């Protein structure tokens, strides 16, 4: 049985829009925070950030199973909006398919980022609550990377 879920997360970063957008668009910057959370081992991360471009990563999170992330970018409006769809597989079984929209707006000297995800979680993978929490952790990883960039500037 499928489960559908939608969530929206807003986050303020103490960095200009251009730097926050670059965390998503620049392959080197994205590989520093995406899939590199504590306890997560990611290999083979590839990013082709353009409309029609794709992203791929395989990760292991404290279990013997590997998960696979495959995304396709549909909209990459520089410093404004990103729209992409992605699937997550556990070993050879599809767990979920999602559509995500990220919007960026100047807010004071920083950036307000709004991420909305609409997903379908397949069969016994009712992880919609876990997906939202995992996404929150990724947004925090961006904040840590931006602070690291600032410290080394």
């Amino acid at each position: 049985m499928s489960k559908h879920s939608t969530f929206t997360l807003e986050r303020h970063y103490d960095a200009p829009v251009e730097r926050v957008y670059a965390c998503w668009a620049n392959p080197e910057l994205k590989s520093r925070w995406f899939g590199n959370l504590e306890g997560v081992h990611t290999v083979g991360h590839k990013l082709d950030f353009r409309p029609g471009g794709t992203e791929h990563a395989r990760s292991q999170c404290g279990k013997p199973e590997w998960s696979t992330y495959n995304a396709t970018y549909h909209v990459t409006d520089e410093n404004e909006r990103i729209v992409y769809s992605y699937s997550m597989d556990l070993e050879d079984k599809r767990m979920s398919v999602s559509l995500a929209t990220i919007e960026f707006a100047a807010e004071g000297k920083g950036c307000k980022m709004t991420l909305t995800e609409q997903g379908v979680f397949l069969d016994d993978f009712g992880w919609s609550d876990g997906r939202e929490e995992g996404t929150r952790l990724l947004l925090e990883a961006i904040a840590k990377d931006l602070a690291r960039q600032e410290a080394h500037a």
Side-chain angles (χ1 to χ4, degrees):
M1 188 62 147
S2 301
K3 179 179 179 184
H4 292 82
S5 179
T6 299
F7 62 87
T8 299
L9 301 172
E10 291 184 353
R11 177 71 194 242
H12 176 84
Y13 294 102
D14 292 326
V17 168
E18 296 80 11
R19 284 190 50 222
V20 179
Y21 184 89
C23 287
W24 292 90
N26 180 302
E28 181 182 333
L29 294 177
K30 188 161 188 187
S31 69
R32 292 194 324 215
W33 64 267
F34 183 77
N36 288 313
L37 302 173
E38 185 175 327
V40 177
H41 174 66
T42 299
V43 297
H45 182 246
K46 296 176 186 170
L47 172 62
D48 177 10
F49 188 80
R50 61 183 172 84
T54 60
E55 184 173 14
H56 172 82
R58 285 185 39 85
S59 300
Q60 191 175 36
C61 182
K63 298 179 182 180
E65 299 95 4
W66 285 84
S67 65
T68 304
Y69 168 90
N70 287 302
T72 300
Y73 288 90
H74 305 285
V75 178
T76 57
D77 295 337
E78 189 171 1
N79 302 322
E80 183 181 339
R81 177 184 315 108
I82 301 168
V83 180
Y84 62 100
S85 56
Y86 72 95
S87 62
M88 292 285 297
D89 298 344
L90 184 61
E91 294 297 331
D92 294 327
K93 187 163 172 116
R94 177 79 18 110
M95 295 187 312
S96 64
V97 178
S98 297
L99 174 68
T101 303
I102 306 168
E103 296 177 301
F104 305 85
E107 185 174 73
K109 294 182 181 180
C111 173
K112 177 183 174 185
M113 191 185 82
T114 305
L115 182 149
T116 301
E117 182 169 325
Q118 301 162 292
V120 58
F121 298 84
L122 306 168
D123 302 325
D124 297 325
F125 296 109
W127 294 359
S128 57
D129 293 339
R131 180 68 51 85
E132 184 173 347
E133 181 56 30
T135 304
R136 284 183 199 280
L137 292 172
L138 288 171
L139 300 187
E140 180 59 28
I142 294 171
K144 289 177 182 175
D145 192 65
L146 287 165
R148 189 178 317 117
Q149 289 177 39
E150 188 68 28
H152 292 96

